[in-house]
Amino acid sequence: MIPLKYLVLIFFVLLDFILVLLNKDKIAIGILMATIPFAAHPLANAKFPILLGLNAFIIWSIWLAQIVKKNLFNIRFTNWNVISKKLRFLYFFLIAGLLLPLIKSNYVNLNLGRYTPTESIFNFSLSVFTLIAFIKIMVNYRYDFEFQDKLMAIFILTSFLQFGSFLFNYIGYGHLLPKFLVTTTEFSETYYRFSGLLGDYELIVDYSMAVIGFALILIIKKKYIFLSMVSIFMATLIGILSGTRSFLIILAIFILFVYIYFIIKLHLYRKTFKFILQIAFISFIVIYVIENLLPAYTIFTRTSESIEYLRERNIPAAINRNLVKAFPVIFENSGFLGNGSILIYQIEGDDTVYHNLYYAVYANFGIIGLFALLYLIFSSTSLLFKIIRKTKNMNLSQESIILLALLISLFVQQMKISATRYISSMLIYAFIFLNVYYYKLKFKKLNEKSNY
């Protein structure tokens, strides 16, 4: 009998392929969006492991169906260059990532986990290829702003499944969920850390912040308000249940940034007051639920420990990272060019490369890769600053502030985690950056209307 995970994989791959051929592309992409925050890698335990999730296979299915339509029915699709010609730099990551290991060839100081160099290179390269295909699919809907809002709504709706998976396990019915979908936790008498269907209790913080950010944008748009409010509540609980201390920090950065900009830039005293009341109301419910129903003590215990370390001026212990000490280790084993497309867990026993996006990108793609990442950060944030500064549309300005606050908080979060660990987290970030591009187009359209 065919295992359930393979049946699920075949069903969704065929379903999305057929939907695209029948010109139901939006339904197929909606299904894809619903799978993005889930690990669900059905082939991870195969003889030759493929570490991509169900979401990646769906992306390939949609992309291949679009190629078939293009060649058989002469249907034109938009070139991704309309976003930026610099996107072609992703081909550098794909090609250089494959070539650099041939030059390096020595991984004696690198811990690749349980995977061989060939398996590691293959899977990392597939992730980059999947990312390229995802962007090429999504660029076709750059002017369909209504559809973009629906995709945001689908994305935040997944928080119900994430939190639902927690409840299933917490009340003892987790065994009823398919094994390749089941949530993961780390639990003992002293801690509880929830990883959700994303499968990583640190990266689920990034997901939670994305849900909060998109939900607030939809509230400003006055769309899916109830869904958005409940999603913020659940995303906050998920972030706290992760036991990851940085969630409290980046959430505070996010709220403070939004508060300051709403007051100083937009003079929205009433809206800011309303925003504070909403946050206070949600916080009250969250605190009540935490104190009475959920095992959320880990994040507060670990935060208290960090505060004690800070009082002792022991910053490495407080953040559980020694970035200064790790740099020479990573540089000596990566050089200026990097090691290529490999999944690195440790370098000379130091796991900082697995817990810092900037070091991870440098270890893989060297100074060129790090420069490309910093350029992406700079260009996206400066674009949103420009929109906030120049737009005369109040809603666009508010939404851009939320998106900018989300980016800044996540850039801080990536100091202690690397989104390159999994394809799911890479796709979440790709979706966030695509929305920055969409806001650029909204800004241009509104400017054209006002000039006309």
Side-chain angles (χ1 to χ4, degrees), residues 185-214:
T185 59
E186 285 196 11
F187 177 73
S188 74
E189 293 181 357
T190 56
Y191 66 83
Y192 179 97
R193 305 198 72 175
F194 175 64
S195 303
L197 296 170
L198 190 66
D200 189 294
Y201 54 69
E202 291 178 301
L203 281 169
I204 203 169
V205 167
D206 303 58
Y207 162 78
S208 297
M209 287 304 306
V211 169
I212 292 170
F214 288 145

Side-chain angles (χ1 to χ4, degrees), residues 29 33 82-83 134-145 147-149 151-152 214 221 383-384 387 396 399-400 403 430-446:
I29 292 170
M33 192 56 57
V82 298
I83 296 180
F134 177 66
I135 297 171
K136 288 191 172 188
I137 291 169
M138 297 302 293
V139 71
N140 293 288
Y141 306 95
R142 65 197 185 283
Y143 286 114
D144 195 338
F145 302 135
F147 183 54
Q148 293 163 21
D149 291 343
L151 292 181
M152 276 192 190
F214 288 145
K221 290 174 178 286
L383 173 61
L384 290 171
I387 294 173
L396 182 62
E399 294 161 25
S400 298
L403 194 52
F431 183 56
I432 293 171
F433 282 115
L434 279 168
N435 274 280
V436 174
Y437 167 69
Y438 297 152
Y439 271 78
K440 174 185 175 182
L441 296 181
K442 291 176 187 177
F443 175 63
K444 284 186 176 180
K445 271 209 160 188
L446 288 170

Side-chain angles (χ1 to χ4, degrees), residues 103-115:
I103 301 171
K104 183 80 176 177
S105 72
N106 184 0
Y107 301 110
V108 65
N109 293 328
L110 307 184
N111 181 351
L112 306 184
R114 64 185 182 91
Y115 308 107

